[in-house]
Amino acid sequence: MDVGTLRKQLSTTVLADVYRFFRYALPDFVLNRIVRTMRRGQVRKATLYPFRLLASKLKRRPRRVMIDLVSVCNLRCPMCSVPPDIAIGATQKKHLDLVEFKRIADELEGHVTDLSLVYSGEPLLHPSFKEIVEYAKTRFYLSTISNGTVIKGGRLEALVDGIDYLQFSFDGLSKESYEKYRVGANYDSVLANVNAVIDAKQRAGLGLPVVTITFLVNSYNEDEVESARSYWLENRGVNYFFDKPINLNVHRRSDDKKEHDLVHWLPRKSKMTLYKTDEASGAIEVEKKRAPCSIVQTPVIRGDGEILMCCHDLNNSVKIGNIENNNLVELWGSQKYATIRERGANRQYPICKVCGK
């Protein structure tokens, strides 16, 4: 049995849970959320965190809420999990108003500990990104994900001074492989931008934000995974590097392409895949998951205020309510929402059959 197969089999066991606790959760709690947050001058946030975390567990509230700041993107990645042309069609709203964001943040303060400032688009395209971070950074632990193309106009300072967890999507260690997937991005420019953020973090000397590089493994970059891991972890000193299996996302495409049209993206050598192949027909399909789904524990507020069951239900197939006329904390505690979460955790909705998580 190869290492990839073994890792996949162990990923849902108690052993994996114990490993993740000591490798990620415990150091994050002590170092990042307490010590480094205090060094940043956010003493109140760090002091209240253990109590708010305990309260969220006892009251069974979500620890984190995703807020869709922007429903547009400047790239056209062929297997985007939240395609911008579909996202803007669903919400009819390019970005969340600053006033509305402040209202949502005020409503959630004291009830959740984390805000994830990203969903369907590139969050740094928001014209008030810096103001959003400034408003929320002392009250919540903030995370975001960026393609790294728009590090300008005060955004670098906002990332380094206010974001706690920063993830860059960087799929390749050569211009050819990177630009094959990140359509519309320039490899050299984005590499310089990401390194500028890392350098600024190191100059600040506070250990935050926690920087993660994610690398979607496909047939065009699978030979670069280990060299990329070495570059980012050893040469540049990022906190984490995660290689992830690519999802063809056939259920969320604006064209009529199917699995057989996109199969050329799937790795040929790597065992990191979400798919299995029928040996008789050669057809591929998403490998069914058996473990309960946990992502339903993180609600998503779409740009138009609709509350989504999870980050994969872009088209809002499971109706919950709108933040404009509902209090999320109260709604979360309702029997209706509890039933939705239970069914989602057990993968009972149609969207659950195709998402790949």
Side-chain angles (χ1 to χ4, degrees), residues 68-184:
D68 192 15
L69 296 186
V70 176
S71 299
V72 295
C73 187
N74 55 342
L75 302 186
R76 289 296 178 268
C77 305
M79 255 69 65
C80 181
S81 60
V82 191
D85 50 347
I86 295 179
I88 195 64
T91 66
Q92 296 298 316
K93 195 169 184 179
K94 289 186 177 180
H95 59 77
L96 187 71
D97 297 332
L98 177 59
V99 172
E100 181 67 4
F101 172 81
K102 289 182 176 181
R103 186 188 71 79
I104 294 170
D106 292 345
E107 181 181 299
L108 294 177
E109 185 178 13
H111 299 291
V112 303
T113 62
D114 292 45
L115 295 183
S116 184
L117 305 179
V118 64
Y119 176 50
S120 66
E122 168 53 46
L124 271 64
L125 289 175
H126 197 291
S128 301
F129 181 80
K130 184 177 180 180
E131 290 79 6
I132 285 171
V133 172
E134 191 65 29
Y135 189 78
K137 69 180 184 181
T138 61
R139 305 156 73 186
F140 303 92
Y141 290 89
L142 302 180
S143 61
T144 196
I145 302 171
S146 175
N147 59 33
T149 59
V150 200
I151 312 295
K152 59 182 180 181
R155 290 170 177 82
L156 188 149
E157 291 78 8
L159 292 175
V160 174
D161 297 339
I163 296 295
D164 299 285
Y165 300 90
L166 175 59
Q167 177 179 313
F168 286 112
S169 303
F170 205 96
D171 319 302
L173 201 63
S174 68
K175 186 176 181 67
E176 180 182 11
S177 67
Y178 174 83
E179 294 181 5
K180 177 74 174 177
Y181 186 76
R182 295 285 161 183
V183 178

Side-chain angles (χ1 to χ4, degrees), residues 287-323:
E287 192 168 0
K288 299 296 186 292
K289 302 294 189 273
R290 297 178 181 176
C293 181
S294 62
I295 61 175
V296 294
Q297 299 302 321
T298 301
V300 179
I301 300 175
R302 206 169 62 177
D304 58 357
E306 287 296 314
I307 301 167
L308 308 184
M309 177 184 69
C310 70
C311 57
H312 274 261
D313 193 20
L314 170 62
N315 290 317
N316 196 23
S317 65
V318 182
K319 306 298 182 186
I320 296 173
N322 194 292
I323 196 70

